[in-house]
Amino acid sequence: MTGAVEKTGVARTLGYLAWVAVMAFFFANAEIQIEGGAGWATSLPTWRIENSIWLDIFWGGRAMTGYHAWVFTFMVLVFFAPLAFNGRWTWRDAGLAVAGLIVFWVCEDFLWFIINPAFGWARFNAVDAFWHKHWIWGAPVDYWGGLAVALLILVTRHWRRAK
């Protein structure tokens, strides 16, 4: 950047995360209309890959479906679109995109359960949400791990640079 002050304040990041949560709310509602009460695309006419060591390592043991492959890739493109079109690419901006993407998926998935008429808070558990195979402290492990990674990225992003 030449002559302009880079705006990376905490308030701006919190505003961004609030925007991400709003996007997650709308996407969760869209996904509820698509999936209904059959989470993780269990009733959609899409291909599925189940029981793979690679899914256990990188996908929390959940099935990979055609639906999720296309939706997850689309959302990566959405979050990285500003970097592709604003004329600059920095690690700080890429970190913000990755953190936003992680927060988006955690919020979207949680909201899918809470606002879905077929689920709600009472069915947000390991038995009813069987596609989330690993739970801790009342939520899927992916939520806690994802939020920890997002927090680490955001703290690093706002850490004062040595002069």
Side-chain angles (χ1 to χ4, degrees):
M1 278 179 98
T2 58
V5 175
E6 185 179 11
K7 296 178 181 176
T8 58
V10 172
R12 185 168 183 242
T13 298
L14 292 175
Y16 170 72
L17 293 175
W19 182 262
V20 166
V22 170
M23 289 182 8
F25 173 79
F26 280 93
F27 197 85
N29 275 287
E31 200 168 44
I32 289 167
Q33 297 302 312
I34 294 167
E35 294 181 308
W40 207 253
T42 52
S43 293
L44 295 182
T46 183
W47 54 262
R48 301 180 74 80
I49 300 172
E50 309 252 7
N51 303 322
S52 163
I53 185 72
W54 299 109
L55 294 175
D56 291 340
I57 295 170
F58 295 109
W59 206 239
R62 292 181 298 273
M64 172 55 79
T65 70
Y67 171 76
H68 290 99
W70 286 106
V71 165
F72 275 66
T73 305
F74 174 76
M75 291 311 298
V76 168
L77 294 172
V78 166
F79 276 86
F80 278 85
L83 280 74
F85 294 103
N86 74 2
R88 70 173 198 173
W89 193 96
T90 67
W91 284 109
R92 294 170 68 92
D93 291 343
L96 186 61
V98 170
L101 186 63
I102 292 169
V103 170
F104 172 84
W105 283 121
V106 171
C107 288
E108 189 278 337
D109 196 71
F110 178 70
L111 288 169
W112 187 94
F113 288 104
I114 300 305
I115 61 179
N116 191 330
F119 274 85
W121 186 264
R123 296 189 63 206
F124 181 65
N125 58 62
V127 173
D128 292 315
F130 58 87
W131 53 93
H132 283 293
K133 297 185 179 192
H134 309 287
W135 289 64
I136 188 169
W137 302 318
V141 170
D142 298 348
Y143 288 14
W144 302 114
L147 291 176
V149 169
L151 181 63
L152 180 64
I153 290 170
L154 294 174
V155 167
T156 302
R157 177 179 159 76
H158 289 285
W159 200 267
R160 293 194 183 271
R161 295 180 186 163
K163 294 183 179 179

